[in-house]
């Protein structure tokens, strides 16, 4: 900010005000507000060279001085707006047992260069617009073809609509539930799986399936969500035709019947898409 002695430097003051008036032709610049207008210029210059919020040199980090025609005020810069937007989205997305960087997944970066991906993209758009009346997705295929990334994209799109989702790595959830048996945490976890707006189970099939997991965890969760019309998404390395064998623990008639019951619930509430036509990458 330019320092001028208003009592002795009248000529400099006039030149100072004239310079500012040229910069702000729509407003009247005078002795009383000249330094405020000069601060706007300084902070605008700071913003030109700024690349992130941590580099901010303005008096109030993340904010830029402005004049709205009536008074001087502070407005958030683009980096603070983006941070606030992400914070708002974060409260609608819950990630368990997965790296937080998965939240960087964005639908605008989602590759649609294969038939399955184009189909998935269209399904996502339809689901986000009307999540209560659209089926979820059962995404299956080999490793590293973008199944988890796809689920994260959906979670981010839902957050923009203020819809809460839980994206959870299923094998680690199983371990957590086993350790929580007999404690209040077990009931809290089960209640969360049942009641969250949109549940996403990532990598179903990589866990060690047991009768307890099938009958006391997965069955009740799926049954509740189907009855309450709560959307579900699943990613797996196992195809829908093979998933029944995964659930049939000992291949007995009773076990096969329970496995078929769970498979039927999955097929009734999810649209299956094979992603094996995708390349080995994460988007």
């Amino acid at each position: 900010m330019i320092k001028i002695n208003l009592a002795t430097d009248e000529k400099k003051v006039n030149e100072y005000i004239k310079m500012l008036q040229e910069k702000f032709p729509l407003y009247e610049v005078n002795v009383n507000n000249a330094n405020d207008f000069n601060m706007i210029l300084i902070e605008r210059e700071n913003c030109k060279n700024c690349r992130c919020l941590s580099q901010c040199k303005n008096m109030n980090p993340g904010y830029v001085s402005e004049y709205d025609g009536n008074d001087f005020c502070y407005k958030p810069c683009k980096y603070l707006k983006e941070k606030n937007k992400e914070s708002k989205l974060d409260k609608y997305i819950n990630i368990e047992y997965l790296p937080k960087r998965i939240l960087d997944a964005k639908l605008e970066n989602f590759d649609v260069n294969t038939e399955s991906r184009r189909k998935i993209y269209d399904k996502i758009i339809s689901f986000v617009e009307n999540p209560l009346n659209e089926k979820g997705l059962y995404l299956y295929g080999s490793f590293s073809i973008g199944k988890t990334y796809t689920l994260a994209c959906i979670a981010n799109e839902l957050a923009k609509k203020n819809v809460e989702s839980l994206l959870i790595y299923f094998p680690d959830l199983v371990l957590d539930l086993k350790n929580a048996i007999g404690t209040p945490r077990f009931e809290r976890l089960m209640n969360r799986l049942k009641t969250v707006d949109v549940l996403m189970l990532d990598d179903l099939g990589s866990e060690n399936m047991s009768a307890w997991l099938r009958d006391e965890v997965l069955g009740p969760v799926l049954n509740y969500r189907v009855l309450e019309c709560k959307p579900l998404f699943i990613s797996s390395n196992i195809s829908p035709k093979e998933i029944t064998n995964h659930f049939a623990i000992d291949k007995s008639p009773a076990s096969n019947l329970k496995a078929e019951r769970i498979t039927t619930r999955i097929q009734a509430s999810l649209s299956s898409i094979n992603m094996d036509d995708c390349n080995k990458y994460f988007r």
Side-chain angles (χ1 to χ4, degrees):
M1 186 179 297
I2 299 174
K3 298 293 185 180
I4 294 177
N5 187 329
L6 298 181
T8 61
D9 297 333
E10 183 177 351
K11 182 179 179 180
K12 290 184 178 179
V13 168
N14 291 334
E15 291 175 350
Y16 175 51
I17 292 176
K18 181 181 178 181
M19 179 274 293
L20 291 170
Q21 188 65 73
E22 291 174 353
K23 298 288 186 181
F24 300 94
L26 298 179
Y27 309 115
E28 179 186 351
V29 181
N30 54 52
V31 172
N32 295 321
N33 62 23
N35 283 337
D36 292 311
F37 276 112
N38 190 57
M39 179 59 71
I40 292 176
L41 294 179
I42 293 172
E43 295 198 341
R44 285 180 180 177
E45 193 63 30
N46 289 342
C47 290
K48 286 182 182 179
N49 301 314
C50 185
R51 295 292 177 269
C52 62
L53 199 57
S54 62
Q55 293 181 359
C56 184
K57 297 179 180 179
N58 291 348
M59 184 178 296
N60 294 291
Y63 291 90
V64 185
S65 298
E66 293 289 349
Y67 185 66
D68 62 8
N70 296 308
D71 203 356
F72 292 91
C73 58
Y74 294 103
K75 293 186 177 180
C77 71
K78 63 180 180 180
Y79 298 115
L80 182 59
K81 287 180 180 178
E82 185 64 27
K83 180 181 178 181
N84 290 339
K85 180 181 178 182
E86 290 176 356
S87 296
K88 180 182 178 182
L89 295 181
D90 283 351
K91 73 178 182 179
Y92 290 104
I93 305 175
N94 301 279
I95 302 289
E96 294 291 345
Y97 323 115
L98 286 166
K100 292 297 182 183
R101 66 176 180 274
I102 195 65
L103 290 178
D104 293 336
K106 299 290 188 297
L107 189 61
E108 53 264 33
N109 298 326
F110 186 78
D111 289 327
V112 289
N113 56 354
T114 67
E115 181 180 353
S116 70
R117 285 177 168 273
R118 288 190 288 272
K119 189 182 298 184
I120 290 169
Y121 185 89
D122 290 341
K123 287 281 188 180
I124 293 174
I125 297 299
S126 298
F127 183 85
V128 170
E129 290 301 319
N130 199 0
L132 295 181
N133 293 322
E134 291 283 341
K135 285 186 175 183
L137 292 174
Y138 183 96
L139 305 175
Y140 67 99
S142 54
F143 295 101
S144 302
I145 55 176
K147 298 188 295 295
T148 304
Y149 185 93
T150 301
L151 294 180
C153 285
I154 299 169
N156 272 305
E157 289 302 305
L158 290 172
K160 295 176 184 177
K161 299 287 186 177
N162 298 339
V163 176
E164 186 181 16
S165 62
L166 173 59
L167 172 53
I168 195 161
Y169 182 64
F170 193 67
D172 282 353
L173 168 66
V174 174
L175 294 176
D176 200 355
L177 285 168
K178 286 181 179 178
N179 291 331
I181 292 176
T183 70
R185 175 170 172 75
F186 181 84
E187 293 302 323
R188 288 197 299 269
L189 283 170
M190 287 293 292
N191 187 61
R192 187 77 174 121
L193 295 171
K194 290 178 180 179
T195 61
V196 66
D197 291 342
V198 177
L199 176 62
M200 300 179 178
L201 301 179
D202 184 44
D203 211 9
L204 176 70
S206 293
E207 76 293 337
N208 292 318
M209 182 55 61
S210 66
W212 167 81
L213 175 58
R214 180 192 63 197
D215 302 336
E216 303 299 326
V217 176
L218 198 56
V221 168
L222 294 181
N223 187 58
Y224 182 93
R225 298 194 68 83
V226 169
L227 293 176
E228 296 297 323
C229 299
K230 288 187 170 294
L232 172 69
F233 287 79
I234 292 175
S235 75
S236 179
N237 297 318
I238 304 175
S239 72
K241 292 182 180 179
E242 299 169 335
I243 197 70
T244 302
N245 292 330
H246 178 68
F247 295 137
I249 311 302
D250 55 18
K251 313 303 179 183
S252 67
S255 184
N256 282 326
L257 182 61
K258 292 177 180 178
E260 289 175 5
R261 186 177 296 126
I262 289 182
T263 302
T264 299
R265 290 194 179 103
I266 290 175
Q267 293 174 342
S269 55
L270 304 178
S271 297
S272 300
I273 298 180
N274 184 351
M275 295 183 67
D276 273 330
D277 61 349
C278 304
N279 294 325
K280 294 282 184 179
Y281 59 173
F282 296 98
R283 296 195 302 183

